[in-house]
Amino acid sequence: MEFQDKVVVVTGGVQGIGKCICDMFRQAGAKVCIIDVQENDYFTGDLADKATLEAFAAKVIADHGRVDCLINNAAPLFKGIDQCSYEEFEYAQRVGVTAPFYLTKLFQPYFAKGASIVNISSSRDRMSQPQSESYTAAKGGIHALTHGLAVSLAGRVRVNSISPGWIDNDYIVYEGPDAAQQPAGRVGDPRDIGHMVLFLCSEKAGFITGENICIDGGMTRLMVYHGDHGWTLNEGES
């Protein structure tokens, strides 16, 4: 009953991890306020737009008067250096870093006692694939923003981040190499992230702030060289 009637704001809450987070909070009795560029029953709008963020924040406060949990989940644009324009790269940062910062600023006077912010980063904040710069930069930015806000809001709001690895939003159960390569023995699903979000927002995590938790089945801890664990390098392939 810890989240009964708590006011929870979730960005990008229509599908995937965001939807799972919203569903889990609702099941726990929370009042969930979504902002997403996709149609939804609370607020539809582009997080990259300053006026949209202001209108959304004003609606949340008019409806509820406070915020108990802010979950910055919306995914930035995923494009690489070969194809990503200046405008697209800037847009990715506005969605992935500027919007979480500005929403925190807008809600700052209205955070309830014991409030919590959870930022959804990515294991790409510490490792990369080719042609992923707009997304990777935004996820690295929100990772760093987390500890910055945790210090600035010390004693008022706890701020943490989660870095998911491979999370399958369709809840597919993978077998074979896709699962076996993960030290945990499987691919993740949105509930793996949702459980941690609710924990970090709960009183059980009352001594945790400024922290990043990587939930990736152990993949970023697996040291791989040619010939290890069945991995081989095929030169010339991308």
Side-chain angles (χ1 to χ4, degrees):
M1 301 295 291
E2 186 170 351
F3 296 108
Q4 187 68 43
D5 295 325
K6 292 293 180 71
V7 179
V8 178
V9 173
V10 181
T11 71
V14 169
Q15 65 181 30
I17 291 172
K19 181 179 184 303
C20 179
I21 292 169
C22 291
D23 291 344
M24 292 175 77
F25 270 117
R26 289 191 186 104
Q27 290 165 10
K31 300 173 181 177
V32 179
C33 306
I34 294 173
I35 179 171
D36 200 301
V37 70
Q38 300 182 70
E39 289 291 331
N40 64 86
D41 62 4
Y42 191 79
F43 194 100
T44 303
D46 189 344
L47 284 159
D49 180 67
K50 179 173 181 279
T52 297
L53 296 174
E54 292 169 346
F56 171 67
K59 176 174 171 55
V60 172
I61 298 310
D63 289 347
H64 301 290
R66 73 179 196 279
V67 172
D68 294 287
C69 306
L70 170 60
I71 315 302
N72 291 304
N73 165 77
L77 183 70
F78 191 111
K79 294 192 81 171
I81 192 168
D82 290 353
Q83 300 297 325
C84 188
S85 68
Y86 178 95
E87 291 77 15
E88 289 171 326
F89 188 87
E90 184 180 54
Y91 181 82
Q93 309 320 303
R94 292 206 309 270
V95 171
V97 183
T98 306
F101 166 80
Y102 197 46
L103 283 177
T104 301
K105 185 176 179 69
L106 292 170
F107 288 134
Q108 187 173 357
Y110 304 100
F111 281 118
K113 182 180 180 180
S116 180
I117 298 171
V118 179
N119 297 320
I120 305 302
S121 182
S122 168
S123 59
R124 294 173 188 271
D125 61 8
R126 67 204 67 190
M127 58 193 299
S128 293
Q129 290 176 300
Q131 304 302 321
S132 62
E133 284 77 13
S134 69
Y135 187 90
T136 297
K139 292 304 186 180
I142 200 170
H143 183 155
L145 178 65
T146 296
H147 55 75
L149 290 174
V151 172
S152 294
L153 301 178
R156 298 178 53 208
V157 183
R158 291 184 303 102
V159 188
N160 293 288
S161 64
I162 297 172
S163 293
W166 182 358
I167 303 295
D168 191 279
N169 290 329
D170 294 323
Y171 298 85
I172 295 171
V173 177
Y174 288 82
E175 298 179 353
D178 287 331
Q181 69 179 333
Q182 317 254 354
R186 66 175 177 86
V187 172
D189 73 47
R191 292 167 295 195
D192 293 311
I193 309 305
H195 288 306
M196 182 56 70
V197 169
L198 267 67
F199 170 72
L200 289 173
C201 289
S202 75
E203 293 179 359
K204 297 180 183 69
F207 199 54
I208 303 174
T209 192
E211 189 58 77
N212 172 269
I213 300 172
C214 187
I215 302 178
D216 71 339
M219 284 296 290
T220 54
R221 297 302 189 190
L222 177 62
M223 185 178 289
V224 176
Y225 292 98
H226 175 73
D228 282 353
H229 305 289
W231 294 77
T232 58
L233 173 65
N234 295 318
E235 294 188 56
E237 293 187 6
S238 59

